[in-house]
Structures are given as C-alpha cells and as structure tokens.
Amino acid sequence: MRAAGVVAMVLVFGLATTASAEITSGPQVGDPVGPITVTKVTGNPDDGVADGRTLCYRCKTGAKPVVMIFARTADEKLAKLLKKIEEEIEEHQDDKLMGFVNMIGADAESLEKASADFVAKHGIKRLAFVVPEDAENGPPDFKIAPDADLTVVCYKEGKVKANHAFAKGGLTDEKIDAVVEASCSLVE
C-alpha cells in the first residue's frame, strides 16, 4: 500500500509538472495577428527602422513569414534560441523570413537597456528588439499570459501558423528545436 501511495504521488506530481509547463499565451493557430505598436530598441539594422522609432512592427512585416517573440527573461536559453532563428533567417533570405523580439515586463526604460545589453553581448544581428507600448504584457488583444516567460508566434500573411509558450525555465533544447522547426515551416 505504501509503495502504491508513493507511485500515485509521483504520478500526480509528474502530471502537475507537465500541466504547468503547458501554457496558452498569445494568438493561437489560425488567429489573425493584429497591429502592435512598439518602439524599436536595437538589432536588425537592415529592416529600415531607426532605433528609437515607434511604429506598428506587425504592419511593417506585411505578408512576410515572421517569428514574433515575447520574452520576459533575456537569458542564455533565449540567446541560444535566437541564434538558431537568426541562422534560419540567414538561410531563408530569399523567402523574406524575418523576426522580432518584444521584451516585456514592468518598466519600459529598463527593458530598453536590458535589450540593448543583451543584443550587444550575444551579437544579435538579424532580429529587431522592440518594447511594446503596453510593456508589461504586450497588447491586451494578444493575450500574452502573465505566467508565460516566453511566447513565440510564427505567422505568415497575418495568420498564426504556430504558437509555443513556456513558463520560466521551460525552454529546453528539444523545445528550441521545435520552435526552429516551426519557423522553418513558414517558408516551405
């Protein structure tokens, strides 16, 4: 009986851990991607947008295939993901694959500084870093979950093709590969 109780506890804990790792955040597959007013901080000098400019980045991307990221934490896992996405953007230049990172959190000014530092430290070149007008969680109609540390929305022609959301610490190497695969499928 005691062993069965331990097994049951392990199973319940395992299920709770799995359930907490799955987060619904951001526009879902099939949803349209609406406008998003942001201030470009740094990155992607070839996008024609000057650092410090406020604009609708979604409007700028038009029908192009885009990897749109909302990140609360700029850590080494995010850097690894972004490097792989940059490789895909480089490889699919002819397909006009592009991406941008929305840094979100409590304070726009500190997000801007953290973004600039992160881009400089990790040599990010092909992804623009922006801060949304609503810096805490992004635009309300995007429904970025407060418990999502990272939300990745892959869209083309204004429609979501893939969505991945992770709690803090939930981005693993396998999940990085899944996100990169989703970004590649935008150009197939």
Side-chain angles (χ1 to χ4, degrees), residues 9-171:
M9 277 183 17
V10 168
L11 286 174
V12 168
F13 178 76
L15 290 174
T17 303
T18 302
S20 69
E22 294 179 20
I23 296 174
T24 300
S25 180
Q28 299 298 300
V29 174
D31 287 350
V33 178
I36 177 172
T37 302
V38 300
T39 299
K40 182 180 177 189
V41 177
T42 190
N44 194 358
D46 299 327
D47 68 358
V49 178
D51 292 355
R53 181 172 168 213
T54 300
L55 72 153
C56 172
Y57 218 91
R58 159 60 187 103
C59 303
K60 176 154 183 55
T61 63
K64 294 176 185 164
V66 178
V67 181
M68 176 176 60
I69 299 164
F70 291 86
R72 295 182 194 281
T73 306
D75 59 11
E76 294 305 312
K77 282 291 189 183
L78 178 64
K80 185 173 184 176
L81 170 65
L82 299 182
K83 286 294 196 179
K84 288 188 174 203
I85 290 173
E86 283 203 315
E87 289 171 9
E88 293 305 317
I89 290 171
E90 172 78 24
E91 184 178 328
H92 297 286
Q93 283 183 33
D94 292 345
D95 299 308
K96 302 198 182 329
L97 179 63
M98 63 181 305
F100 63 104
V101 179
N102 295 273
M103 291 303 297
I104 55 177
D107 171 5
E109 190 174 310
S110 62
L111 290 170
E112 289 173 11
K113 173 149 181 26
S115 296
D117 292 347
F118 183 82
V119 167
K121 177 181 178 181
H122 295 286
I124 306 294
K125 294 183 177 27
R126 298 193 169 277
L127 291 163
F129 270 65
V130 302
V131 174
E133 196 171 58
D134 182 343
E136 188 172 353
N137 290 309
D141 58 332
F142 274 52
K143 298 177 183 155
I144 304 300
D147 58 342
D149 192 53
L150 180 69
T151 302
V152 182
V153 179
C154 298
Y155 67 88
K156 184 176 182 178
E157 297 174 354
K159 292 268 188 218
V160 177
K161 303 298 182 188
N163 173 299
H164 300 271
F166 308 100
K168 188 161 181 72
L171 185 61

